[in-house]
Amino acid sequence: MNLKKDLPFKLVVGLLAIVLVGSLLLSDRYWFLTDRPVVDELAAVKVPPELGDMIMAIDDYGVHIQRRPSKVEQYIAIKRSQLGLEQPVPSYAHMSDPKLGYSVRETTFLGMPFWYSAEYGHVLFFSSDWGVVAAPLNEIGHAALNKANGRDLRATSMIPWWQHLWGWLFLAGLALAIWLWHRRVVRWRAENGII
């Protein structure tokens, strides 16, 4: 069998293996079929003073989504505890300013995203080491935010849908690998006179 003819098949299979291992170990998504809340960042915003202390308001009335560590981070935490080392405590020192985001439910499998649907829609959120806290705004809040930023933030911000659908590329690559394998078998049978 000619190695040159098998190169595309080997490249596709190698790339699929890297993506799968990376998704399983480095992603914070679950391995099994599930959905999870996610907030996509759309834009940094200026918060008008009439909305008050937004960090406190979001923290008091918002939805709290704890950051889920990746499998590698979980493994390191287990090893640290076995060695008697203290775990790093999540800090609010790295807290972001309020931002405009879009709240979705993401459907995942094998650490890869396959679908999403709107959950709360446009939200004001902040993030920290602990996770994300997001709160939907009413029309008065959106109007004040739009006025302070000089534009309609909801109309000019695009939802990054590709971040929630790239798992389909893995399936397309799997289909390509199966097709290349089938071509390889047909070619081998033709070369060896097997019908």
Side-chain angles (χ1 to χ4, degrees):
M1 181 100 351
N2 190 344
L3 180 64
K4 226 175 181 183
K5 290 181 182 176
D6 286 345
L7 187 60
F9 173 73
K10 290 179 180 181
L11 287 175
V12 169
V13 169
L15 184 61
L16 287 173
I18 290 168
V19 169
L20 182 61
V21 169
S23 296
L24 291 174
L25 298 180
L26 302 177
S27 173
D28 63 344
R29 295 176 176 100
Y30 297 100
W31 287 358
F32 303 106
L33 181 63
T34 189
D35 65 2
R36 68 185 193 132
V38 177
V39 176
D40 293 321
E41 181 180 335
L42 299 181
V45 294
K46 293 179 210 165
V47 178
E50 58 264 26
L51 290 180
D53 182 2
M54 284 312 300
I55 293 290
M56 190 166 70
I58 294 169
D59 197 34
D60 288 345
Y61 301 107
V63 177
H64 294 247
I65 306 168
Q66 188 170 0
R67 186 180 89 73
R68 181 174 164 76
S70 70
K71 309 308 174 283
V72 171
E73 289 172 321
Q74 291 175 23
Y75 177 78
I76 291 170
I78 290 168
K79 286 299 177 190
R80 285 179 61 92
S81 68
Q82 287 175 347
L83 295 172
L85 300 172
E86 290 185 21
Q87 299 299 328
V89 178
S91 169
Y92 283 98
H94 305 113
M95 186 167 46
S96 71
D97 290 330
K99 299 176 185 175
L100 180 72
Y102 197 79
S103 169
V104 299
R105 296 245 9 135
E106 180 182 72
T107 303
T108 65
F109 182 63
L110 295 177
M112 293 177 266
F114 286 93
W115 196 250
Y116 73 99
S117 58
E119 186 166 32
Y120 299 110
H122 287 93
V123 294
L124 206 55
F125 78 100
F126 69 87
S127 59
S128 67
D129 292 345
W130 183 87
V132 171
V133 183
L137 287 172
N138 59 20
E139 287 305 316
I140 296 169
H142 278 297
L145 205 59
N146 290 340
K147 183 179 176 187
N149 289 277
R151 63 187 171 110
D152 183 357
L153 291 166
R154 291 182 287 183
T156 58
S157 302
M158 184 175 165
I159 299 162
W161 53 268
W162 55 89
Q163 292 180 3
H164 307 293
L165 298 174
W166 63 262
W168 292 105
L169 292 175
F170 179 81
L171 290 183
L174 194 59
L176 177 62
I178 291 169
W179 179 74
L180 289 171
W181 176 78
H182 174 70
R183 277 189 43 197
R184 176 182 173 183
V185 169
V186 168
R187 192 171 60 243
W188 178 83
R189 291 176 75 146
E191 287 172 0
N192 291 300
I194 301 171
I195 296 177

